[in-house]
């Protein structure tokens, strides 16, 4: 990953936290003015961590939305729509393909189950397009590898799970 700067994953001081409104590119005045739903696309793929797949829905799918924040519409998408088996053996039906990323304000890539293998070109291209049109693209844990494969981490600081930091 060209020009990638690694943050030591063992150092909590390297973690960055942003307020929800800032993370989703909303200013306080814009949030209060429009209250348009924030569209969230969460990537599902064969062997995805059930934990990482469910957390975005738990965090952003809160209804009603917290006071002063817009509601979030969480959609799951996959490179190939249909049944996806999670790492715990649970199968889920993912009706949408990567086209969900074309209108998402926030795209979330859960932990990638094979960080040593490059993400498919169709996926990295969809992420590049989402980023180019202004979507916030987030990699959870090993999902950072997919963002790196897409070139979205070039010349940026990033981190991943401590167990894979040397590979990263």
């Amino acid at each position: 990953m060209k020009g990638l700067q690694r943050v030591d994953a063992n150092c909590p001081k390297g973690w960055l936290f942003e307020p929800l409104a800032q993370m989703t590119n909303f200013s306080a005045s814009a949030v209060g003015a429009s209250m348009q739903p924030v569209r969230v696309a969460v990537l599902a793929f064969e062997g995805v961590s059930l934990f990482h797949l469910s957390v975005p829905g738990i965090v952003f799918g809160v209804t009603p939305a917290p006071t002063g924040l817009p509601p979030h519409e969480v959609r799951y998408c996959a490179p190939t729509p249909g049944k996806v088996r999670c790492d715990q053996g649970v199968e889920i039906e993912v009706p949408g393909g990567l086209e969900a990323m074309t209108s998402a304000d926030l795209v979330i890539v859960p932990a990638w189950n094979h960080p040593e293998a490059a993400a498919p070109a169709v996926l990295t291209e969809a992420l590049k397009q989402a980023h180019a049109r202004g979507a916030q693209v987030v990699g959870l844990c090993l999902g950072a590898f997919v963002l790196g494969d897409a070139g979205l981490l070039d010349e940026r600081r990033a981190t991943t799970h401590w167990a894979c930091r040397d590979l990263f």
Side-chain angles (χ1 to χ4, degrees):
M1 290 175 246
K2 180 183 81 178
L4 182 66
Q5 298 176 18
R6 186 180 73 197
V7 175
D8 188 340
N10 289 328
C11 179
K13 292 178 184 171
W15 298 352
L16 300 174
F17 296 94
E18 297 180 79
L20 177 62
Q22 181 181 349
M23 185 178 82
T24 54
N25 294 322
F26 288 99
S27 67
S29 60
V31 169
S34 68
M35 294 303 239
Q36 294 296 314
V38 176
R39 296 166 306 229
V40 181
V42 182
L43 178 67
F45 50 87
E46 198 65 26
V48 66
S49 162
L50 184 57
F51 172 73
H52 284 188
L53 189 64
S54 63
V55 166
I58 293 167
V59 171
F60 294 111
V62 174
T63 54
T67 303
L69 293 176
H72 287 66
E73 295 173 352
V74 179
R75 294 177 55 194
Y76 293 87
C77 62
T80 304
K83 287 190 180 185
V84 172
R85 183 181 296 272
C86 298
D87 64 344
Q88 297 294 307
V90 175
E91 286 187 346
I92 61 167
E93 184 71 29
V94 182
L98 297 179
E99 68 276 357
M101 291 184 189
T102 63
S103 62
D105 301 303
L106 177 61
V107 177
I108 300 176
V109 179
W112 196 239
N113 54 356
H114 296 290
E116 67 285 348
V122 66
L123 172 56
T124 58
E125 190 56 38
L127 291 169
K128 286 180 198 177
Q129 290 175 9
H131 180 263
R133 64 167 182 73
Q136 182 83 31
V137 182
V138 177
L140 300 179
C141 196
L142 298 177
F145 281 87
V146 179
L147 274 57
D149 290 341
L152 301 182
L153 301 181
D154 291 354
E155 305 300 326
R156 296 176 188 261
R157 292 176 50 170
T159 191
T160 192
H161 191 282
W162 63 267
C164 292
R165 70 179 178 183
D166 290 337
L167 179 61
F168 193 63

